[in-house]
Amino acid sequence: ETGVTQSPTHLIKTRGQQVTLRCSSQSGHNTVSWYQQALGQGPQFIFQYYREEENGRGNFPPRFSGLQFPNYSSELNVNALELDDSALYLCASSRTLLSTGELFFGEGSRLTVL
Amino acid sequence: DQQVKQNSPSLSVQEGRISILNCDYTNSMFDYFLWYKKYPAEGPTFLISISSIKDKNEDGRFTVFLNKSAKHLSLHIVPSQPGDSAVYFCAAACPSGGGADGLTFGKGTHLIIQP
């Protein structure tokens, strides 16, 4: 069983640029969610995708957007990067839509915005 | 406004003793609680969960206790082992809402098991 994989693992961008982060879900999982973990904080929910549609969103502005593909892989796009976007971005997949399903996290993509 | 609070940033425990990690929450709509463990350079991994209809759930060395009236939960690890050294996150969810709000995490407690 292949776990959740994310790419790239590290990247550096400058303020105002755009970034795309990628995630491959664990086999058999149809739900993917993205979390932002700033330094010293817990992961914060960005949004969730189920069957290629956004199914829930946390308190993040519209410049954070996502996609889920038919093979359940996913992308997180962030436009007009700001310094505060520097964080570890975690992708998680689950078998079910409901939060009682265990989330399987990837290792994360660490984004630094200069 | 933190809805899930872990007030101890770090905790040091001797190997073989009991580790107790605490978590408080403010949102009474939360009805499912989880603990995740995170090693450096790895993603969080699920440890144990509890539904609000229970007050205790046990899995091997790990036990989670839930006190709904106090809006408090705790994770007990007995006996503590060196491999337990990690950051532990408490998380809460409202499954009855369809899961659309995701999980709400605390800031984490760094557990250090000393030999």
Side-chain angles (χ1 to χ4, degrees), chain A residues 72-106:
Chain A
Y72 303 129
S73 65
S74 176
E75 285 183 356
L76 164 65
N77 299 288
V78 187
N79 293 322
L81 284 167
E82 301 177 359
L83 298 179
D84 284 349
D85 295 334
S86 294
L88 180 68
Y89 288 85
L90 294 163
C91 172
S93 69
S94 58
R95 291 187 185 91
T96 66
L97 187 60
L98 297 179
S99 296
T100 51
E102 177 185 338
L103 291 185
F104 291 80
F105 283 88

Side-chain angles (χ1 to χ4, degrees), chain A residues 1-111:
Chain A
E1 194 176 60
T2 308
V4 178
T5 57
Q6 294 187 240
S7 62
T9 54
H10 294 82
L11 70 167
I12 300 173
K13 293 284 188 178
T14 56
R15 206 167 37 172
Q17 285 189 311
Q18 178 265 343
V19 69
T20 297
L21 307 177
R22 294 179 175 82
C23 171
S24 292
S25 302
Q26 183 149 332
S27 176
H29 291 188
N30 60 17
T31 304
V32 66
S33 50
W34 286 90
Y35 288 79
Q36 179 196 67
Q37 186 181 7
L39 201 60
Q41 304 293 316
Q44 189 174 357
F45 176 65
I46 303 175
F47 43 55
Q48 174 177 269
Y49 278 80
Y50 172 68
R51 292 186 177 178
E52 303 176 56
E53 291 196 2
E54 186 179 295
N55 177 256
R57 189 178 185 94
N59 189 25
F60 281 81
R63 59 190 186 83
F64 285 78
S65 63
L67 283 172
Q68 187 184 29
F69 300 100
N71 65 354
Y72 303 129
S73 65
S74 176
E75 285 183 356
L76 164 65
N77 299 288
V78 187
N79 293 322
L81 284 167
E82 301 177 359
L83 298 179
D84 284 349
D85 295 334
S86 294
L88 180 68
Y89 288 85
L90 294 163
C91 172
S93 69
S94 58
R95 291 187 185 91
T96 66
L97 187 60
L98 297 179
S99 296
T100 51
E102 177 185 338
L103 291 185
F104 291 80
F105 283 88
E107 294 182 356
S109 294
R110 183 162 298 282
L111 171 65

